[in-house]
Amino acid sequence: ENVTAKLLPFGNESEIQVIANLPKGASLEETERVLFAAARRLVDLPEVTSIEAYAGTSAPFNFNGLVRHYYLRDEPQQGDLEVNLLPRAARRRQSHAIAIEIRKRLKGLPVPAHSSIQVVEVPPGPPVLAPLLAEIYGPNAHLRRAVARKVKKVFESVPFIVDTDDSFGVRAQQLRFAIDEDRLEFYGVEQQAVYDTIAALFHGTSVGYSHRGEGIYPIEIAIRLPKRDLRPGERLLSTPVPARHGVVELGDLVRLVREKTSYPIFRRDGHFAEMVTANLAGQLGAPIYGMLAVDKKLAKLDWGTLGRPAIRIHGQPTNEAKPTLLWDGEWEITYVTFRDLGLAFAVALVGIYLLIVAEFRSFRLPLVIMTPIPLTLIGIIPGHWLFNAPFTATSMIGFIALAGIIVRNSILLVDFIGRERQKGEPLRLCLVRAGATRFRPILLTAASAMVGAAFILPDPIFQGLAISLLFGLAASTALTLLVIPAIYVLFRDDLCPLSDPGPQRQRGRKPARAVIEEGREAGAPPRGGKDDASGP
């Protein structure tokens, strides 16, 4: 349970973003105050070199921001903090550990109600909309949002799920100018005149352009009200509006109506959906653990009249008559990656099996030769535990690569055993000589691969590959020299690829230990030709 599975380990980048989403309708100044308050809590971090604040506009976005649509963050209630860190070599902690401390420092930050503060790390692999993403499908928007609210509460109850948010938020208050058609007719005012007046009040009126300076684009000259006057009141409603017979005040033609805005509409591949997003922190940073924890709590939740949603781990639902929860985000990439790697591993095993069958002309002997392949896990899993590293996609690639190396070692043993058996030697004596003679080439092959893998061990992304090669080779090499002879002893001659082992097999033979003892007493050199000279 101490070795977790994850698509890729957390990276060690030199930047972290803090994303602030205030309720819609919040002012630019309010967003700026929140960003500055957050920056003051982070400025004394020893790894921080600078902090940049962007209110009402997007910060310079990377590939992660491109996928998450950060370039569209240009509304007053949206803000970013770009936290720049020291280079990797100049700090001890990785960026993920710093991000965890940033979340702790920002906990309890005074923000308006229904605000969302997220700490976003640069992903080491393919970016997604959110590491943990639940898409809610259903027959209507009201049901989808009700299910999403319950799912969001479950997200917030899991300790290692952080930065929880949803796609619809809360409905903001808006002020609508409702035109009274009867008064327009009574005062003789055209609708377009009212529209033009309101547009001039809130957006200003362009009166020309200034071509000063060396810039390519001219500077617009516009007349507009200062921000402090852009609020409903006597001054705003007393603005004159042209009529057929003079002017009329704006307040005589319109009514101010306060109402709530509508929810945003999201679709995925043409299907209406609501989304619940979150990040993961700590040891259980893979989405699978968040999904399992959420699914366990969803099963115990009282859904009432909503009905418990169906859970899907891949593919959009074909029937949306009932609510459905689809796990997406990093899990989708993890599922596809490990599925494809598993299929590739199965194809590789079949290919290895067919090659060995063609060489030894036996259908059972390849199974013996391929037995050490799963034994590599005996070294891979403890190796990941020792380095406190998750089992990642690169670890899986290393596991697949080991199959060819380990099979080569097995073939070296089996081929030597077959040659010795062809001479009519006793089985146990063949096994002893095979281990003594082939030990050195098997050891050198494994050692050379382990030395090459050691150089990529410090890399945070390819560490899993290095661990798999190092510890998998060490364990499988030692076990190959034990397992292959043990299987031969267990099945005796049945798995020998030779149909006719030689005439001495027909006359009967002494046990291998007796043969060895007789050779020692006679002082005769060991039988086996040149191959035996290289043994210990």
Side-chain angles (χ1 to χ4, degrees):
E1 60 180 4
N2 294 325
V3 178
T4 59
K6 197 176 185 301
L7 176 64
L8 286 174
F10 291 107
N12 190 15
E13 305 297 334
S14 297
E15 58 176 327
I16 298 175
Q17 277 184 282
V18 178
I19 304 298
N21 293 311
L22 277 63
K24 195 167 185 177
S27 64
L28 186 66
E29 291 77 12
E30 195 170 14
T31 304
E32 190 177 63
R33 284 194 294 269
V34 171
L35 293 177
F36 286 172
R40 283 192 290 270
R41 294 192 175 195
L42 307 179
V43 71
D44 59 340
L45 279 171
E47 295 88 355
V48 172
T49 58
S50 63
I51 301 177
E52 303 169 9
Y54 299 86
T57 185
S58 61
F61 53 90
N62 48 25
F63 189 31
N64 185 40
L66 184 65
V67 173
R68 297 190 179 191
H69 304 161
Y70 287 168
Y71 59 93
L72 298 176
R73 296 177 53 82
D74 55 0
E75 298 185 10
Q77 74 274 8
Q78 298 172 334
D80 296 359
L81 276 184
E82 187 78 20
V83 182
N84 299 311
L85 308 177
L86 291 170
R88 302 177 186 176
R91 50 184 164 87
R92 295 182 179 180
R93 294 190 297 179
Q94 292 191 349
S95 58
H96 180 63
I98 300 173
I100 293 177
E101 183 174 349
I102 289 176
R103 287 192 181 94
K104 293 180 180 178
R105 293 196 175 203
L106 295 181
K107 190 175 183 179
L109 183 72
V111 295
H114 307 293
S115 297
S116 172
I117 305 295
Q118 300 178 0
V119 179
V120 179
E121 304 176 55
V122 179
V128 292
L129 188 61
L132 191 64
L133 173 60
E135 297 178 356
I136 311 299
Y137 297 87
N140 56 73
H142 175 74
L143 180 61
R144 291 194 300 269
R145 287 193 291 267
V147 173
R149 290 189 183 97
K150 282 185 169 290
V151 173
K152 183 180 178 181
K153 289 182 179 179
V154 174
F155 272 36
E156 294 170 345
S157 65
V158 179
F160 57 90
I161 296 180
V162 297
D163 303 340
T164 304
D165 200 2
D166 55 58
S167 60
F168 48 89
V170 294
R171 300 172 67 184
Q173 292 282 345
Q174 70 177 6
L175 187 65
R176 183 168 63 89
F177 285 82
I179 299 177
D180 193 326
E181 297 290 343
D182 295 335
R183 293 193 176 189
L184 285 182
E185 186 176 354
F186 177 79
Y187 289 109
V189 179
E190 298 291 337
Q191 279 192 359
Q192 188 61 44
V194 179
Y195 294 147
D196 292 343
T197 302
I198 295 175
L201 287 173
F202 288 93
H203 300 289
T205 300
S206 178
V207 296
Y209 293 89
S210 172
H211 297 274
R212 296 176 302 170
E214 300 178 356
I216 299 176
Y217 301 103
I219 302 173
E220 181 187 15
I221 302 174
I223 300 175
R224 58 171 56 95
L225 288 175
K227 279 190 174 182
R228 65 177 179 271
D229 295 329
L230 294 179
R231 53 188 175 86
E234 181 181 353
R235 183 173 182 180
L236 191 66
L237 295 178
S238 62
T239 304
V241 179
R244 294 194 188 101
H245 307 288
V247 294
V248 181
E249 290 185 353
L250 180 62
D252 294 331
L253 305 174
V254 299
R255 292 180 295 106
L256 295 181
V257 180
R258 294 185 181 273
E259 59 186 14
K260 290 187 176 181
T261 59
S262 59
Y263 287 104
I265 298 175
F266 283 88
R267 297 183 183 90
R268 182 191 171 187
D269 298 336
H271 297 268
F272 291 98
E274 307 296 341
M275 292 175 285
V276 181
T277 62
N279 291 325
L280 298 116
Q283 180 70 17
L284 302 178
I288 182 62
Y289 303 104
M291 293 164 51
L292 293 175
V294 170
D295 287 344
K296 186 177 180 180
K297 293 195 173 188
L298 290 179
K300 300 178 181 179
L301 194 64
D302 182 15
W303 291 92
T305 57
L306 295 177
R308 182 185 174 187
I311 308 296
R312 292 181 63 89
I313 62 173
H314 181 68
Q316 286 181 300
T318 56
N319 183 11
E320 299 181 22
K322 295 181 180 180
T324 304
L325 187 154
L326 171 64
W327 288 112
D328 204 334
E330 188 178 315
W331 161 251
E332 174 68 16
I333 301 178
T334 304
Y335 172 82
V336 173
T337 300
F338 278 95
R339 180 198 64 188
D340 294 346
L341 286 176
L343 292 175
F345 187 42
V347 173
L349 292 179
V350 172
I352 293 173
Y353 177 81
L354 295 177
L355 288 175
I356 300 175
V357 168
E359 173 64 23
F360 290 95
R361 302 182 183 278
S362 172
F363 290 101
R364 291 192 297 170
L365 185 62
L367 299 178
V368 177
I369 295 176
M370 298 173 66
T371 300
I373 293 179
L375 298 180
T376 57
L377 292 174
I378 298 177
I380 291 176
I381 301 302
H384 283 78
W385 171 80
L386 183 63
F387 280 83
N388 195 26
F391 187 87
T392 62
T394 57
S395 305
M396 185 68 177
I397 294 173
F399 178 48
I400 297 174
L402 283 176
I405 302 175
I406 299 308
V407 166
R408 178 185 181 277
N409 295 339
S410 300
I411 292 176
L412 287 175
L413 282 176
V414 172
D415 180 67
F416 188 90
I417 294 172
R419 291 182 181 181
E420 291 297 302
R421 292 286 287 157
Q422 191 175 12
K423 300 175 183 178
E425 297 290 350
L427 175 62
R428 292 179 179 267
L429 181 60
C430 295
L431 298 177
V432 172
R433 288 181 174 175
T437 305
R438 296 303 191 192
F439 174 78
R440 183 177 297 174
I442 290 176
L443 180 63
L444 292 178
T445 301
S448 60
M450 292 170 65
V451 170
F455 287 95
I456 59 175
L457 192 61
D459 188 272
I461 306 302
F462 293 98
Q463 185 185 53
L465 174 63
I467 293 175
S468 295
L469 292 177
L470 280 172
F471 291 88
L473 278 171
S476 60
T477 300
L479 293 175
T480 298
L481 298 171
L482 300 175
V483 171
I484 297 296
I487 295 177
Y488 261 96
V489 171
L490 179 64
F491 292 98
R492 304 296 293 179
D493 301 346
D494 296 338
L495 292 178
C496 185
L498 304 174
S499 57
D500 184 11
Q504 294 186 16
R505 181 184 175 95
Q506 309 296 332
R507 298 195 303 267
R509 56 176 180 269
K510 298 180 181 180
R513 182 176 298 177
V515 174
I516 296 175
E517 293 297 333
E518 289 179 3
R520 289 178 179 176
E521 293 176 0
R527 300 173 60 186
K530 297 181 180 180
D531 288 339
D532 292 328
S534 60

